């Protein structure tokens, strides 16, 4: 019997169109590689609901991020290129004003601020934004800002769709088969698979041995007329000004009960934090919940599967997807195409010993 199935061949299959998948696809596009992405276009993925902030300094200990200068530089150039390509604005460079919650925080900062590396990113006596409760003062982090991640993901996936590089459907792993030379999925063949499926990797039999430690997060969209914050503000909760008196306020960090449902508990927690920050009334307009693909050592996971050939992972972006994804996407691309080493902190090899051998 005649087989009239047309087989399309691509160099890359990209599974997942969040920050990881889209920024890897951007590398492929720039370097003229043929590829096809699969993503079901769900509305509440981590990448779509994220506040999108990037901050060179993180955590209670106010540590400077790993490779911060390289990450910030790659983030800025990548989004500049994307903005030109798609003719839209995605990135907003804005200082982050950190308000001390109590005297101890102010004192801890006092002992930290003489550190030469830390000093490069901070201003220590800024004027606090008006209409905020800030009796203990604040400091400001420069070189921060936020990316409108939903706008970016929607614009980029639309672009891929128009260029026949995206199928808006979930890929079923049972139908992805490795042949002698290639990977095959339905009527398409590929040299290589890049798996960017976010937290759903825990349901993926090729990847569920990796030490993910997922973290659910909830956010509110609030309406707060009169606030007019010119900067990102943080005090137990952060506020990102979206314009038109609307702010994203987040977030919660929940390490148990991992699901995508928002809760009354999450909402009340965030409202309480907002009440200790804002001198103005506000209204909750919407609530979101998502799951951050966080790992046990809090670092991303990139590189080749220990046994399955031509199968790569780009995951574990955790709480810092925006800052890390552009740099890591290029690093993974150059690892595959130019055999450059991955940084050991994010190389999947650190977990090869976890791979079940039986
Ligand atoms: C409340 C909250 C606030 C956050 N705020 C920030 C912030 O301010 N700054 C920051 O840097 N980070 C933030 N993050 C984290 C950030 O969202 C993540 O680091 C990042 O978005 C993860 O991107 P990803 O592409 O790995 O995963 P995802 O965004 O989850 O994308 C994975 C994609 O793969 C698709 N997929 C899964 N399985 C399949 C399959 N079988 N076939 C096809 N497609 C599939 C999914 O549908 C999804 O579209 C926040 C997260 C949350 C939850």
């Amino acid at each position: 019997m005649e087989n009239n199935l047309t087989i399309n061949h691509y160099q890359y299959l990209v599974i997942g169109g969040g920050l990881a998948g889209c920024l890897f696809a951007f590398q492929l596009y720039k370097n003229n590689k043929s590829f096809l992405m699969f993503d079901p276009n769900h509305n509440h993925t981590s990448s779509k609901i994220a506040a999108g902030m990037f901050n060179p300094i993180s955590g209670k200990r106010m540590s400077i991020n790993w490779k911060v200068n390289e990450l910030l530089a790659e983030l800025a150039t990548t989004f500049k290129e994307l903005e030109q390509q798609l003719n839209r604005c995605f990135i907003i460079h804005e200082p982050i004003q950190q308000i001390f919650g109590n005297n101890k925080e102010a004192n801890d900062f006092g002992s930290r601020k003489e550190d030469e590396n830390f000093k490069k990113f901070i201003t220590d006596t800024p004027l606090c934004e008006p209409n905020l409760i800030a009796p203990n003062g604040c400091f400001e982090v420069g070189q921060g800002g936020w990316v409108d991640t939903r706008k970016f993901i929607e614009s980029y996936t639309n672009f891929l769709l128009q260029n026949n590089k995206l199928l808006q459907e979930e890929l079923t792993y049972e139908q992805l088969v490795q042949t002698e030379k290639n990977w095959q999925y339905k009527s398409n063949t590929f040299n290589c698979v890049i798996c960017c499926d976010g937290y759903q990797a825990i349901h993926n039999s090729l990847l569920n041995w990796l030490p993910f430690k997922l973290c659910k997060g909830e956010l509110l969209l609030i309406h707060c007329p009169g606030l007019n914050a010119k900067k990102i503000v943080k005090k137990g909760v952060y506020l990102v000004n979206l314009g038109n008196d609307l702010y994203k306020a987040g977030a919660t960090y929940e390490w148990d009960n991992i699901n995508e449902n928002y809760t009354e508990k999450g909402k009340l927690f965030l409202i309480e934090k907002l009440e200790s920050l804002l001198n103005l009334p506000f209204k909750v307009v919407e609530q979101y919940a998502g799951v951050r693909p966080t790992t046990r050592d809090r670092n991303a996971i990139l590189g080749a599967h220990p046994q399955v050939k031509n199968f790569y992972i780009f995951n574990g972006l955790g709480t810092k997807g925006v800052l890390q994804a552009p740099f890591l996407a290029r690093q993974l691309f150059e690892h595959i195409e130019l055999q450059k080493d991955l940084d050991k902190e994010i190389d999947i090899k650190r977990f090869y010993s976890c791979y079940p051998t039986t």
Side-chain angles (χ1 to χ4, degrees), residues 76 106 119 155 160 183 193 195 239 259 289 318 331:
K119 255 186 187 167
S155 309
L160 296 180
W183 284 94
V193 178
C195 195
L239 278 177
N259 56 59
Q331 199 172 92

Side-chain angles (χ1 to χ4, degrees), residues 42 44 148 157 260 263 357:
H42 290 151
H44 286 127
D148 190 332
T157 50
E260 292 179 339
T263 62
T357 44

Side-chain angles (χ1 to χ4, degrees), residues 16 18-20 38-40 45-47 50-53 171 292 318-322:
L19 281 173
F38 282 75
D39 186 278
T45 62
S46 188
S47 295
M53 286 185 304
L171 179 134
R292 305 172 181 94
T319 56
K320 298 176 198 159
V322 168

Side-chain angles (χ1 to χ4, degrees), residues 25 36-37 50 57 68 80 83 96 119 126 132 136 185 212 243-244 269-270 272 274 316 327 332:
L36 187 61
M37 176 191 278
I57 292 171
V68 69
K80 201 170 176 190
E83 288 181 340
I96 299 167
K119 255 186 187 167
L132 301 179
N136 299 296
Y185 187 73
F212 286 100
N244 299 323
F269 172 88
L270 293 169
E272 194 182 312
L274 285 167
F327 175 85
L332 181 61

